[in-house]
Amino acid sequence: MTVIQLYGVLHRYGVDVLLLALGVTLLTSLLKKTVMKSVSKKVFVFLPFGLGILIYGLYSLLARGGACFTADALRAILGNGIGTGCAATLYYIFYEQFLRGKFPADPIAPLLECVPEDKRQEASKAISDALKGVCAEDACEKIEETLACFADPPLSEEELSLTAELLKEYIYAIT
């Protein structure tokens, strides 16, 4: 995001809306995990917008120091409240897509179907250890040697070579 895009977001929503949206996101997550566990998931689509309008209305009430609202003030509360809900939804989507860990702790173990399930973690660690300090040209050979020790039933030379090549490409792609 460039500085100009960031300025555009701040100008469009305002710092107050973005900060309140963070609070709405946290409150929505808290409600989702505690009080509203058994509620339909469809409710959570609209909840940030409702909470955004409510919280922005309370914020506006406190900022004005009273409850005297004109039509323009009510329109601004409704518009900024919906903006708060929208920004809260964007925060949540960003969290789900980029920050929440959905990758397995060990990305190699699920690929080792030729290894018995109770030995996959051990084989994955052995492959990772064997590749430390090894150049890319020698990686296939090290993976083949390690995999040959763990494969059950043993793989043919061709299967072992292909599996090692695939694992090497995958490991170098994720690291």
Side-chain angles (χ1 to χ4, degrees), residues 50-61:
L51 286 174
I53 293 169
L54 179 71
I55 289 177
Y56 193 85
L58 290 172
Y59 164 74
S60 183
L61 182 70

Side-chain angles (χ1 to χ4, degrees), residues 13 17-29 32 41-53 55 80-99:
Y13 289 111
V17 169
L18 295 175
L19 289 175
L20 290 172
L22 186 60
V24 168
T25 303
L26 296 174
L27 182 60
T28 301
S29 293
K32 189 177 189 179
K41 301 284 184 211
K42 294 176 184 177
V43 170
F44 294 107
V45 172
F46 300 104
L47 187 64
F49 296 98
L51 286 174
I53 293 169
I55 289 177
N80 287 330
I82 291 173
T84 301
C86 184
T89 302
L90 290 174
Y91 286 155
Y92 181 73
I93 291 170
F94 180 80
Y95 167 74
E96 285 291 321
Q97 293 297 315
F98 298 109
L99 300 178

Side-chain angles (χ1 to χ4, degrees), residues 23-24 58 77 92 104-105 119 126 133 137 171:
V24 168
L58 290 172
I77 289 171
Y92 181 73
K119 298 270 188 185
E137 294 84 33
I171 291 167

Side-chain angles (χ1 to χ4, degrees), residues 131-149:
L131 291 178
K132 288 181 181 169
V134 174
C135 63
E137 294 84 33
D138 298 332
C140 271
E141 185 179 324
K142 290 292 186 181
I143 293 172
E144 280 184 38
E145 291 171 6
T146 309
L147 200 54
C149 298

Side-chain angles (χ1 to χ4, degrees), residues 65-124:
C68 182
F69 294 108
T70 64
D72 283 339
L74 290 175
R75 182 193 52 77
I77 289 171
L78 186 62
N80 287 330
I82 291 173
T84 301
C86 184
T89 302
L90 290 174
Y91 286 155
Y92 181 73
I93 291 170
F94 180 80
Y95 167 74
E96 285 291 321
Q97 293 297 315
F98 298 109
L99 300 178
R100 189 173 181 196
K102 292 191 177 192
F103 294 106
D106 183 3
I108 301 171
L111 301 175
L112 301 174
E113 291 189 19
C114 59
V115 175
E117 197 166 333
D118 60 328
K119 298 270 188 185
R120 286 184 187 164
Q121 294 294 330
E122 183 182 345
S124 175

